[in-house]
Amino acid sequence: MRKASALIITAGLVMTALTACAGPGTAQASCDAGAPSGAASKLVSVTGDFGAVPDISFPTPLKSSTTQRTEIIAGSGPQVVPGQMVSVESNLYNGTTGEPLQLSAFDGSTAVEFGLGDATNPGFVAGLVCARVGERIAVVIAPDDGIGVNDQLRVSATDSLVLVVDIVKAFLPRADGADQAVANGLPAVVLDADGTPGIVLPSGDVPKALEFGVLKKGTGEKVASDATVVIHYTGLLWASDKVFESTWATRTPRVVPLSDLPQGLATAISGQTVGSQLVVVVPPALGFGPAAQGQVPAGSTLVYSVDILGIN
């Protein structure tokens, strides 16, 4: 195949494809289930330094019935775990034709965030879990683990994909701050072993104003009012005690500007530190207001448990 230059192509289309194909349970695999090295992934030749445009070649057609990965440059950072949000620079190719589907600049300007959970392509998840921050890897994604038939990208049902990835950063998988006491009257948050929260409403009247408490106090960077944050959260309707939204359901954190969150939730997160966990009660005026939105009825009081995993 021809060697690629640092041209960015069809990035939005590829990102959509990589985050729309996984089935339930993908991110629950342990690190022992991460993709092994194999004959196909060892055929991908990659030279160049981490953080610089790689020189990539491989024979075509390159096919594999299993997803494989081979370490190109060792990383010394934390190990990536299932369900974690990572920031990567990557080149993606059609293994049959050698044609590039997406090329990155590998200079930080084209880094993309992925949650390695149930909402992300299973081949991508298997290729990255258990690798380390600072690592460069070559992954050959089997057709059954890939993006399926995609006419726009000219990918057929039998095409393997070749992915070369620099793992630039990994965000916290869950809040890791020190436990804090909170005021009486706030909802309680009970955590499963993996950090999934359950919200328990107190008896008494519905709060009329914004109320929040810090359940865990992190030691990371402070969140500015105009920040884009990486968060895990569950949202509950006070009136019905029903969850209306949860990133924990797919084990895929969300990267979001504070300005895109309900005002009350954004206010509570602003000024907090990475690694913190909050419980937040948002009155209708600071939530979705008098209009219904999705599963949220008009005039709803909202309750959130939110883990602040990082600042993007």
Side-chain angles (χ1 to χ4, degrees), residues 144-168:
D144 287 347
D145 294 339
I147 62 177
V149 177
N150 191 305
D151 293 336
Q152 289 176 284
L153 293 176
R154 297 191 298 279
V155 174
S156 75
T158 61
D159 289 337
S160 295
L161 303 175
V162 176
L163 182 71
V164 175
V165 183
D166 280 6
I167 304 176
V168 178

Side-chain angles (χ1 to χ4, degrees), residues 82-173:
Q84 194 166 17
M85 180 72 71
V86 295
S87 179
V88 303
E89 295 264 23
S90 62
N91 283 2
L92 182 69
Y93 304 87
N94 185 315
T96 302
T97 66
E99 288 299 309
L101 305 179
Q102 178 189 305
L103 303 177
S104 296
F106 286 86
D107 61 0
S109 66
T110 52
V112 176
E113 286 68 47
F114 273 97
L116 299 178
D118 298 345
T120 299
N121 172 274
F124 194 94
V125 174
L128 268 69
V129 293
C130 308
R132 293 188 179 276
V133 174
E135 189 170 330
R136 172 173 285 177
I137 54 179
V139 184
V140 177
I141 300 175
D144 287 347
D145 294 339
I147 62 177
V149 177
N150 191 305
D151 293 336
Q152 289 176 284
L153 293 176
R154 297 191 298 279
V155 174
S156 75
T158 61
D159 289 337
S160 295
L161 303 175
V162 176
L163 182 71
V164 175
V165 183
D166 280 6
I167 304 176
V168 178
K169 182 178 182 180
F171 299 92
L172 292 174

Side-chain angles (χ1 to χ4, degrees), residues 29-44 46 62 64-75 78-82 86 116 122-133 135-142 145 161-165 167:
S30 70
C31 277
D32 293 337
S37 184
S41 62
K42 290 177 180 178
L43 288 174
V44 182
V46 185
L62 183 58
S64 178
S65 60
T66 61
T67 294
Q68 306 172 5
R69 74 152 174 243
T70 295
E71 178 187 286
I72 305 299
I73 298 173
Q79 192 174 51
V80 175
V81 299
V86 295
L116 299 178
F124 194 94
V125 174
L128 268 69
V129 293
C130 308
R132 293 188 179 276
V133 174
E135 189 170 330
R136 172 173 285 177
I137 54 179
V139 184
V140 177
I141 300 175
D145 294 339
L161 303 175
V162 176
L163 182 71
V164 175
V165 183
I167 304 176

Side-chain angles (χ1 to χ4, degrees), residues 198-221:
I199 300 173
V200 181
L201 296 178
S203 58
D205 296 334
V206 180
K208 302 299 183 183
L210 175 66
E211 296 184 6
F212 61 90
V214 179
L215 302 173
K216 295 180 181 291
K217 179 67 174 177
T219 59
E221 185 179 354

